[in-house]
Amino acid sequence: MSAARTSEPEEMPLFDLLITLDGAHVQVDRRVLVPGQATLGDLHVVIQLAMGWQDCHLHAFTDRSGTTYGDTTLSDLDFAEESKVRVSEVLAERGDEIEYEYDFGDSWHHRIELVKIRPDEGQGIRGLACIGGHGLCPPEDCGGIWSYAEMCEALADPRHRDHEEMVEWMREIQEQPFNSSQYDPNAFDLEAANEAVRTLLGRP
């Protein structure tokens, strides 16, 4: 993470963030701890890992003032560069929120709320973690919030007219056998999400 590349030691309070997927028919959210010195570019990677997205589409953050941030190396859209802005610059006080949109086609809108700021107790960047959550991450390219709800409805009912089509599609994207009776959109694996997020500690 970018916060780990500073040359001088500095205080690293941990920002306790609630990331909520807006409009989902089931509760889908993640609680993460991120150093306030992390950039929005870092936060993008944390969101992808904690949620379970695959980072194969464009994304953008929008702050309270309406400024939009993104990876300007990947798009010619009028974004401010996300790698130059720290989380602490856009989320300063408890209750502050910013928006994160992933995949401009399916338009997955996430609300990021600052729950609280935890003081630096010596853990620094090692405090990075996913500490809670609810719900599965929707499959990539399933069509967005409403299509995801329809997909889950079809998978849950073997008599649904689209059941077999959805089962076959899930088999194709997962490239392995798929049992619709075991698909639970409410499921969440905290250990797996935290392990994914903490892989960042081993990256340059």
Side-chain angles (χ1 to χ4, degrees), residues 41-89:
D42 295 329
L43 180 57
H44 156 68
V45 179
V46 170
I47 294 169
Q48 290 286 311
L49 294 171
M51 286 293 298
W53 296 119
Q54 298 176 14
D55 201 6
C56 50
H57 298 283
L58 294 175
H59 68 276
F61 293 91
T62 303
D63 68 13
R64 293 161 294 170
S65 71
T67 301
T68 301
Y69 308 87
D71 185 344
T72 58
T73 67
L74 299 178
S75 171
D76 57 2
L77 296 174
D78 188 21
F79 293 156
E81 175 52 51
E82 64 185 14
S83 67
K84 297 181 179 179
V85 180
R86 293 186 174 192
V87 171
S88 58
E89 294 178 71

Short mmCIF file of all heavy atoms in Angstrom, two decimals, residues 41-89:
data_model
loop_
_atom_site.label_atom_id
_atom_site.label_comp_id
_atom_site.label_asym_id
_atom_site.label_seq_id
_atom_site.Cartn_x
_atom_site.Cartn_y
_atom_site.Cartn_z
N GLY A 41 -6.52 5.16 -4.20
CA GLY A 41 -6.11 4.02 -5.03
C GLY A 41 -5.93 2.76 -4.20
O GLY A 41 -6.34 1.66 -4.60
N ASP A 42 -5.34 2.92 -3.00
CA ASP A 42 -5.22 1.80 -2.08
C ASP A 42 -6.60 1.32 -1.64
O ASP A 42 -6.87 0.11 -1.57
CB ASP A 42 -4.43 2.20 -0.83
CG ASP A 42 -2.98 2.56 -1.12
OD1 ASP A 42 -2.41 1.98 -2.05
OD2 ASP A 42 -2.43 3.42 -0.41
N LEU A 43 -7.47 2.26 -1.31
CA LEU A 43 -8.80 1.90 -0.84
C LEU A 43 -9.57 1.13 -1.91
O LEU A 43 -10.31 0.19 -1.60
CB LEU A 43 -9.57 3.15 -0.43
CG LEU A 43 -11.00 2.93 0.10
CD1 LEU A 43 -11.00 1.98 1.31
CD2 LEU A 43 -11.65 4.26 0.46
N HIS A 44 -9.39 1.51 -3.15
CA HIS A 44 -10.02 0.77 -4.25
C HIS A 44 -9.63 -0.71 -4.19
O HIS A 44 -10.50 -1.59 -4.31
CB HIS A 44 -9.60 1.37 -5.60
CG HIS A 44 -9.69 0.41 -6.75
ND1 HIS A 44 -10.90 -0.06 -7.23
CD2 HIS A 44 -8.72 -0.19 -7.50
CE1 HIS A 44 -10.66 -0.90 -8.24
NE2 HIS A 44 -9.36 -0.99 -8.41
N VAL A 45 -8.36 -0.99 -4.00
CA VAL A 45 -7.90 -2.38 -3.95
C VAL A 45 -8.49 -3.10 -2.74
O VAL A 45 -8.92 -4.25 -2.83
CB VAL A 45 -6.36 -2.45 -3.93
CG1 VAL A 45 -5.89 -3.90 -3.85
CG2 VAL A 45 -5.77 -1.78 -5.16
N VAL A 46 -8.54 -2.41 -1.60
CA VAL A 46 -9.12 -3.00 -0.38
C VAL A 46 -10.59 -3.35 -0.62
O VAL A 46 -11.05 -4.44 -0.25
CB VAL A 46 -8.98 -2.05 0.82
CG1 VAL A 46 -9.79 -2.56 2.01
CG2 VAL A 46 -7.52 -1.88 1.20
N ILE A 47 -11.34 -2.44 -1.24
CA ILE A 47 -12.75 -2.70 -1.52
C ILE A 47 -12.90 -3.92 -2.42
O ILE A 47 -13.75 -4.80 -2.17
CB ILE A 47 -13.41 -1.48 -2.18
CG1 ILE A 47 -13.45 -0.30 -1.20
CG2 ILE A 47 -14.83 -1.81 -2.66
CD1 ILE A 47 -13.85 1.02 -1.85
N GLN A 48 -12.11 -3.99 -3.46
CA GLN A 48 -12.19 -5.12 -4.38
C GLN A 48 -11.95 -6.44 -3.65
O GLN A 48 -12.69 -7.42 -3.83
CB GLN A 48 -11.17 -4.95 -5.50
CG GLN A 48 -11.48 -3.85 -6.49
CD GLN A 48 -12.60 -4.22 -7.44
OE1 GLN A 48 -12.60 -5.29 -8.03
NE2 GLN A 48 -13.57 -3.34 -7.59
N LEU A 49 -10.93 -6.47 -2.80
CA LEU A 49 -10.59 -7.70 -2.09
C LEU A 49 -11.63 -8.05 -1.03
O LEU A 49 -12.02 -9.21 -0.89
CB LEU A 49 -9.21 -7.57 -1.46
CG LEU A 49 -8.04 -7.45 -2.44
CD1 LEU A 49 -6.75 -7.09 -1.71
CD2 LEU A 49 -7.86 -8.76 -3.22
N ALA A 50 -12.06 -7.07 -0.27
CA ALA A 50 -13.03 -7.33 0.80
C ALA A 50 -14.39 -7.75 0.25
O ALA A 50 -15.04 -8.65 0.78
CB ALA A 50 -13.17 -6.10 1.69
N MET A 51 -14.81 -7.08 -0.82
CA MET A 51 -16.11 -7.40 -1.41
C MET A 51 -16.08 -8.74 -2.14
O MET A 51 -17.02 -9.51 -2.08
CB MET A 51 -16.53 -6.30 -2.38
CG MET A 51 -16.98 -5.01 -1.74
SD MET A 51 -18.53 -5.19 -0.82
CE MET A 51 -19.65 -5.67 -2.13
N GLY A 52 -14.98 -8.97 -2.87
CA GLY A 52 -14.90 -10.17 -3.70
C GLY A 52 -15.03 -9.87 -5.18
O GLY A 52 -15.21 -10.78 -6.00
N TRP A 53 -14.94 -8.59 -5.54
CA TRP A 53 -14.90 -8.23 -6.96
C TRP A 53 -13.58 -8.68 -7.59
O TRP A 53 -12.63 -9.00 -6.87
CB TRP A 53 -15.06 -6.71 -7.14
CG TRP A 53 -16.36 -6.13 -6.70
CD1 TRP A 53 -16.55 -5.18 -5.73
CD2 TRP A 53 -17.67 -6.40 -7.24
NE1 TRP A 53 -17.88 -4.86 -5.61
CE2 TRP A 53 -18.60 -5.59 -6.52
CE3 TRP A 53 -18.14 -7.25 -8.23
CZ2 TRP A 53 -19.97 -5.61 -6.79
CZ3 TRP A 53 -19.51 -7.27 -8.49
CH2 TRP A 53 -20.41 -6.46 -7.77
N GLN A 54 -13.51 -8.64 -8.90
CA GLN A 54 -12.33 -9.14 -9.60
C GLN A 54 -11.50 -8.04 -10.26
O GLN A 54 -10.55 -8.32 -10.99
CB GLN A 54 -12.75 -10.19 -10.65
CG GLN A 54 -13.41 -11.41 -10.03
CD GLN A 54 -13.92 -12.39 -11.06
OE1 GLN A 54 -13.58 -12.32 -12.24
NE2 GLN A 54 -14.77 -13.30 -10.62
N ASP A 55 -11.89 -6.79 -10.05
CA ASP A 55 -11.14 -5.64 -10.56
C ASP A 55 -10.92 -5.71 -12.07
O ASP A 55 -9.81 -5.50 -12.56
CB ASP A 55 -9.79 -5.52 -9.83
CG ASP A 55 -9.21 -4.11 -9.94
OD1 ASP A 55 -9.91 -3.22 -10.46
OD2 ASP A 55 -8.06 -3.90 -9.51
N CYS A 56 -11.98 -5.98 -12.79
CA CYS A 56 -11.86 -6.07 -14.26
C CYS A 56 -12.66 -4.98 -14.97
O CYS A 56 -12.91 -5.08 -16.17
CB CYS A 56 -12.27 -7.47 -14.75
SG CYS A 56 -13.85 -8.06 -14.14
N HIS A 57 -13.06 -3.95 -14.23
CA HIS A 57 -13.81 -2.83 -14.82
C HIS A 57 -13.29 -1.52 -14.23
O HIS A 57 -12.58 -1.51 -13.22
CB HIS A 57 -15.31 -2.95 -14.53
CG HIS A 57 -15.94 -4.17 -15.11
ND1 HIS A 57 -16.26 -4.29 -16.44
CD2 HIS A 57 -16.31 -5.34 -14.52
CE1 HIS A 57 -16.80 -5.47 -16.66
NE2 HIS A 57 -16.84 -6.13 -15.51
N LEU A 58 -13.67 -0.42 -14.84
CA LEU A 58 -13.30 0.89 -14.33
C LEU A 58 -14.07 1.19 -13.04
O LEU A 58 -15.09 0.57 -12.74
CB LEU A 58 -13.60 1.98 -15.37
CG LEU A 58 -12.78 1.93 -16.66
CD1 LEU A 58 -13.28 3.00 -17.63
CD2 LEU A 58 -11.30 2.11 -16.37
N HIS A 59 -13.57 2.16 -12.30
CA HIS A 59 -14.19 2.54 -11.04
C HIS A 59 -13.98 4.02 -10.81
O HIS A 59 -13.14 4.65 -11.48
CB HIS A 59 -13.57 1.75 -9.87
CG HIS A 59 -12.14 2.12 -9.63
ND1 HIS A 59 -11.09 1.56 -10.34
CD2 HIS A 59 -11.57 3.03 -8.79
CE1 HIS A 59 -9.96 2.09 -9.94
NE2 HIS A 59 -10.21 2.99 -9.00
N ALA A 60 -14.70 4.59 -9.84
CA ALA A 60 -14.51 6.00 -9.49
C ALA A 60 -15.04 6.24 -8.08
O ALA A 60 -15.99 5.60 -7.63
CB ALA A 60 -15.23 6.91 -10.48
N PHE A 61 -14.41 7.19 -7.39
CA PHE A 61 -14.89 7.70 -6.11
C PHE A 61 -15.47 9.09 -6.33
O PHE A 61 -14.95 9.85 -7.16
CB PHE A 61 -13.73 7.83 -5.11
CG PHE A 61 -13.11 6.53 -4.68
CD1 PHE A 61 -12.02 6.00 -5.36
CD2 PHE A 61 -13.59 5.85 -3.56
CE1 PHE A 61 -11.43 4.82 -4.95
CE2 PHE A 61 -13.01 4.66 -3.15
CZ PHE A 61 -11.92 4.14 -3.85
N THR A 62 -16.50 9.43 -5.57
CA THR A 62 -17.03 10.78 -5.59
C THR A 62 -17.18 11.27 -4.16
O THR A 62 -17.81 10.59 -3.33
CB THR A 62 -18.41 10.85 -6.29
OG1 THR A 62 -18.28 10.32 -7.62
CG2 THR A 62 -18.91 12.28 -6.37
N ASP A 63 -16.58 12.43 -3.86
CA ASP A 63 -16.64 12.93 -2.49
C ASP A 63 -17.83 13.87 -2.29
O ASP A 63 -18.64 14.09 -3.21
CB ASP A 63 -15.32 13.59 -2.09
CG ASP A 63 -15.03 14.88 -2.84
OD1 ASP A 63 -15.95 15.43 -3.50
OD2 ASP A 63 -13.87 15.36 -2.78
N ARG A 64 -17.94 14.45 -1.10
CA ARG A 64 -19.08 15.28 -0.74
C ARG A 64 -19.20 16.52 -1.60
O ARG A 64 -20.28 17.07 -1.79
CB ARG A 64 -18.98 15.69 0.73
CG ARG A 64 -19.13 14.54 1.72
CD ARG A 64 -18.58 14.92 3.07
NE ARG A 64 -17.12 15.12 3.01
CZ ARG A 64 -16.39 15.62 3.98
NH1 ARG A 64 -16.97 16.03 5.09
NH2 ARG A 64 -15.08 15.75 3.85
N SER A 65 -18.08 17.00 -2.13
CA SER A 65 -18.09 18.21 -2.95
C SER A 65 -18.45 17.93 -4.41
O SER A 65 -18.61 18.85 -5.20
CB SER A 65 -16.72 18.90 -2.89
OG SER A 65 -15.75 18.15 -3.60
N GLY A 66 -18.54 16.64 -4.75
CA GLY A 66 -18.83 16.27 -6.13
C GLY A 66 -17.60 15.98 -6.97
O GLY A 66 -17.72 15.66 -8.15
N THR A 67 -16.42 16.08 -6.37
CA THR A 67 -15.19 15.76 -7.09
C THR A 67 -15.10 14.25 -7.29
O THR A 67 -15.35 13.47 -6.37
CB THR A 67 -13.95 16.24 -6.32
OG1 THR A 67 -14.05 17.66 -6.13
CG2 THR A 67 -12.67 15.91 -7.07
N THR A 68 -14.74 13.85 -8.51
CA THR A 68 -14.64 12.44 -8.84
C THR A 68 -13.18 12.06 -9.02
O THR A 68 -12.42 12.76 -9.70
CB THR A 68 -15.42 12.11 -10.13
OG1 THR A 68 -16.80 12.47 -9.93
CG2 THR A 68 -15.34 10.63 -10.45
N TYR A 69 -12.79 10.95 -8.40
CA TYR A 69 -11.42 10.46 -8.44
C TYR A 69 -11.38 9.09 -9.09
O TYR A 69 -12.27 8.26 -8.89
CB TYR A 69 -10.85 10.34 -7.02
CG TYR A 69 -10.98 11.58 -6.17
CD1 TYR A 69 -12.13 11.81 -5.43
CD2 TYR A 69 -9.96 12.52 -6.11
CE1 TYR A 69 -12.27 12.95 -4.64
CE2 TYR A 69 -10.08 13.66 -5.33
CZ TYR A 69 -11.24 13.86 -4.60
OH TYR A 69 -11.37 15.00 -3.82
N GLY A 70 -10.32 8.83 -9.83
CA GLY A 70 -10.15 7.52 -10.45
C GLY A 70 -8.71 7.31 -10.85
O GLY A 70 -7.83 8.14 -10.54
N ASP A 71 -8.46 6.22 -11.53
CA ASP A 71 -7.13 5.91 -12.04
C ASP A 71 -7.00 6.55 -13.42
O ASP A 71 -7.54 6.03 -14.40
CB ASP A 71 -6.94 4.40 -12.12
CG ASP A 71 -5.53 4.00 -12.53
OD1 ASP A 71 -4.79 4.86 -13.06
OD2 ASP A 71 -5.17 2.82 -12.35
N THR A 72 -6.33 7.68 -13.49
CA THR A 72 -6.26 8.43 -14.75
C THR A 72 -5.39 7.73 -15.80
O THR A 72 -5.42 8.12 -16.96
CB THR A 72 -5.71 9.84 -14.50
OG1 THR A 72 -4.42 9.76 -13.88
CG2 THR A 72 -6.65 10.62 -13.59
N THR A 73 -4.65 6.70 -15.39
CA THR A 73 -3.85 5.96 -16.37
C THR A 73 -4.71 4.98 -17.16
O THR A 73 -4.28 4.46 -18.19
CB THR A 73 -2.70 5.19 -15.70
OG1 THR A 73 -3.24 4.14 -14.87
CG2 THR A 73 -1.85 6.11 -14.84
N LEU A 74 -5.92 4.70 -16.66
CA LEU A 74 -6.79 3.71 -17.30
C LEU A 74 -7.95 4.33 -18.05
O LEU A 74 -8.68 3.64 -18.75
CB LEU A 74 -7.34 2.73 -16.26
CG LEU A 74 -6.32 1.90 -15.48
CD1 LEU A 74 -7.04 1.02 -14.46
CD2 LEU A 74 -5.50 1.04 -16.44
N SER A 75 -8.14 5.63 -17.89
CA SER A 75 -9.31 6.26 -18.50
C SER A 75 -9.00 7.70 -18.88
O SER A 75 -8.20 8.37 -18.22
CB SER A 75 -10.49 6.23 -17.51
OG SER A 75 -11.56 7.01 -17.98
N ASP A 76 -9.65 8.19 -19.94
CA ASP A 76 -9.50 9.59 -20.32
C ASP A 76 -10.67 10.42 -19.80
O ASP A 76 -10.87 11.55 -20.22
CB ASP A 76 -9.38 9.73 -21.84
CG ASP A 76 -10.57 9.12 -22.59
OD1 ASP A 76 -11.50 8.63 -21.93
OD2 ASP A 76 -10.56 9.15 -23.84
N LEU A 77 -11.44 9.85 -18.87
CA LEU A 77 -12.53 10.60 -18.24
C LEU A 77 -11.94 11.69 -17.35
O LEU A 77 -10.79 11.62 -16.94
CB LEU A 77 -13.42 9.66 -17.44
CG LEU A 77 -14.16 8.59 -18.27
CD1 LEU A 77 -14.89 7.62 -17.35
CD2 LEU A 77 -15.15 9.25 -19.23
N ASP A 78 -12.74 12.67 -17.04
CA ASP A 78 -12.26 13.83 -16.28
C ASP A 78 -12.24 13.53 -14.79
O ASP A 78 -13.05 14.02 -14.01
CB ASP A 78 -13.16 15.04 -16.57
CG ASP A 78 -12.60 16.32 -15.97
OD1 ASP A 78 -11.38 16.36 -15.71
OD2 ASP A 78 -13.39 17.26 -15.77
N PHE A 79 -11.26 12.69 -14.39
CA PHE A 79 -11.10 12.30 -13.00
C PHE A 79 -9.91 13.04 -12.39
O PHE A 79 -8.93 13.33 -13.07
CB PHE A 79 -10.81 10.81 -12.86
CG PHE A 79 -11.94 9.90 -13.25
CD1 PHE A 79 -11.68 8.59 -13.64
CD2 PHE A 79 -13.25 10.32 -13.20
CE1 PHE A 79 -12.71 7.74 -13.98
CE2 PHE A 79 -14.29 9.48 -13.54
CZ PHE A 79 -14.02 8.18 -13.93
N ALA A 80 -9.99 13.29 -11.09
CA ALA A 80 -8.79 13.64 -10.33
C ALA A 80 -8.07 12.33 -10.03
O ALA A 80 -8.69 11.28 -9.90
CB ALA A 80 -9.17 14.36 -9.04
N GLU A 81 -6.75 12.38 -9.92
CA GLU A 81 -5.96 11.17 -9.73
C GLU A 81 -6.11 10.64 -8.31
O GLU A 81 -5.75 11.29 -7.34
CB GLU A 81 -4.48 11.44 -10.04
CG GLU A 81 -3.55 10.27 -9.77
CD GLU A 81 -4.01 8.97 -10.41
OE1 GLU A 81 -4.30 8.97 -11.64
OE2 GLU A 81 -4.08 7.96 -9.69
N GLU A 82 -6.62 9.42 -8.20
CA GLU A 82 -6.92 8.84 -6.89
C GLU A 82 -5.67 8.52 -6.07
O GLU A 82 -5.72 8.50 -4.84
CB GLU A 82 -7.75 7.57 -7.06
CG GLU A 82 -7.02 6.44 -7.79
CD GLU A 82 -7.90 5.23 -8.05
OE1 GLU A 82 -9.14 5.33 -7.91
OE2 GLU A 82 -7.34 4.17 -8.40
N SER A 83 -4.55 8.30 -6.73
CA SER A 83 -3.33 7.94 -5.99
C SER A 83 -2.70 9.14 -5.29
O SER A 83 -1.75 8.98 -4.52
CB SER A 83 -2.30 7.31 -6.95
OG SER A 83 -1.84 8.26 -7.89
N LYS A 84 -3.23 10.33 -5.54
CA LYS A 84 -2.68 11.54 -4.91
C LYS A 84 -3.54 12.05 -3.76
O LYS A 84 -3.25 13.10 -3.18
CB LYS A 84 -2.53 12.63 -5.97
CG LYS A 84 -1.53 12.29 -7.08
CD LYS A 84 -1.41 13.42 -8.08
CE LYS A 84 -0.39 13.08 -9.17
NZ LYS A 84 -0.27 14.17 -10.18
N VAL A 85 -4.58 11.31 -3.43
CA VAL A 85 -5.51 11.75 -2.38
C VAL A 85 -5.60 10.68 -1.30
O VAL A 85 -5.83 9.50 -1.59
CB VAL A 85 -6.91 12.01 -2.96
CG1 VAL A 85 -7.86 12.46 -1.87
CG2 VAL A 85 -6.84 13.05 -4.07
N ARG A 86 -5.41 11.09 -0.05
CA ARG A 86 -5.48 10.15 1.06
C ARG A 86 -6.92 10.00 1.56
O ARG A 86 -7.73 10.90 1.44
CB ARG A 86 -4.59 10.63 2.22
CG ARG A 86 -3.10 10.59 1.88
CD ARG A 86 -2.27 10.93 3.09
NE ARG A 86 -0.84 10.78 2.82
CZ ARG A 86 0.10 10.79 3.76
NH1 ARG A 86 -0.25 10.98 5.03
NH2 ARG A 86 1.37 10.62 3.45
N VAL A 87 -7.17 8.83 2.14
CA VAL A 87 -8.49 8.57 2.71
C VAL A 87 -8.85 9.65 3.73
O VAL A 87 -9.99 10.13 3.78
CB VAL A 87 -8.50 7.17 3.37
CG1 VAL A 87 -9.78 6.96 4.17
CG2 VAL A 87 -8.35 6.08 2.31
N SER A 88 -7.89 10.05 4.53
CA SER A 88 -8.14 11.05 5.58
C SER A 88 -8.52 12.41 5.03
O SER A 88 -9.06 13.25 5.75
CB SER A 88 -6.91 11.19 6.48
OG SER A 88 -5.77 11.57 5.72
N GLU A 89 -8.24 12.67 3.74
CA GLU A 89 -8.59 13.95 3.14
C GLU A 89 -10.05 14.02 2.72
O GLU A 89 -10.60 15.12 2.57
CB GLU A 89 -7.69 14.22 1.93
CG GLU A 89 -6.22 14.40 2.28
CD GLU A 89 -5.37 14.63 1.05
OE1 GLU A 89 -5.49 15.71 0.44
OE2 GLU A 89 -4.60 13.71 0.68
#
